Amino acid sequence: MTSRELRFPPEGAALREVRAKVRRLAQELGAPQKTCDNLALVVDELVNNAIEHGAPYRRHSHDLTVRIALVGRQLEVEFLDPEMPREEVADLARGLAATTGGMPSLDSERGRGLFLLSVYLEGLRAEAAPQGGLRLHGAIQNR
């Protein structure tokens, strides 16, 4: 298994650079252009959500982390937000479970981003990270 890791501050100003680095890392792992672009879109959504929804609980501006690993014919993606409170992680996991059956409610303030992620990522799950915070994991086909 070959993997790459990016760490960056939870700031909107980092997004452009993060997308470019994700594309480059996916290319280094042998992904075709379409997969690189889809992965950049997924990471952009993850980071945007962490910045937007994390503002109320973020106190220390700990770096966010994205790990990308080539496993067989898939690129596995792991996203870590070390400051997300346990209750928020549980709420996110419930929201994610609600989107797997189809489109989320248009009346809900949450869920559309999760639905987008579930379109691109297989096996998407959210859980508490061992060191605290959020660990979100899924895989994208490398084709």
Side-chain angles (χ1 to χ4, degrees), residues 79-139:
F79 176 76
L80 301 163
D81 179 350
E83 292 191 66
M84 182 180 271
R86 186 171 294 279
E87 344 41 269
E88 292 274 338
V89 172
D91 185 46
L92 182 64
R94 283 189 297 275
L96 183 58
T99 64
T100 57
M103 186 72 162
S105 167
L106 296 177
D107 296 331
S108 173
E109 286 303 312
R110 298 200 58 167
R112 290 178 296 282
L114 293 174
F115 176 73
L116 173 68
L117 294 176
S118 71
V119 167
Y120 289 99
L121 295 175
E122 298 175 2
L124 183 61
R125 65 184 186 277
E127 59 195 17
Q131 303 81 11
L134 168 70
R135 177 184 182 264
L136 195 139
H137 183 269

Side-chain angles (χ1 to χ4, degrees), residues 3-19:
S3 67
R4 306 286 193 272
E5 180 176 289
L6 294 174
R7 289 182 181 268
F8 46 91
E11 301 166 0
L15 275 171
R16 179 180 224 154
E17 184 178 348
V18 168
R19 286 191 304 265

Side-chain angles (χ1 to χ4, degrees), residues 41-51 77 79 117 121 136:
L41 175 68
V42 163
V43 171
D44 181 76
E45 181 65 22
L46 289 168
V47 175
N48 263 319
N49 280 346
I51 293 168
V77 181
F79 176 76
L117 294 176
L121 295 175
L136 195 139

Side-chain angles (χ1 to χ4, degrees), residues 21-68:
K21 285 182 178 180
V22 164
R23 279 189 183 96
R24 189 172 60 249
L25 293 179
Q27 285 174 335
E28 290 173 8
L29 292 170
Q33 189 64 45
K34 182 178 178 182
T35 301
C36 296
D37 291 343
N38 290 344
L39 190 58
L41 175 68
V42 163
V43 171
D44 181 76
E45 181 65 22
L46 289 168
V47 175
N48 263 319
N49 280 346
I51 293 168
E52 180 183 344
H53 297 294
Y57 62 74
R58 203 162 307 286
R59 300 286 178 259
H60 306 287
S61 293
H62 291 303
D63 284 350
L64 302 172
T65 303
V66 173
R67 293 184 184 124
I68 303 166

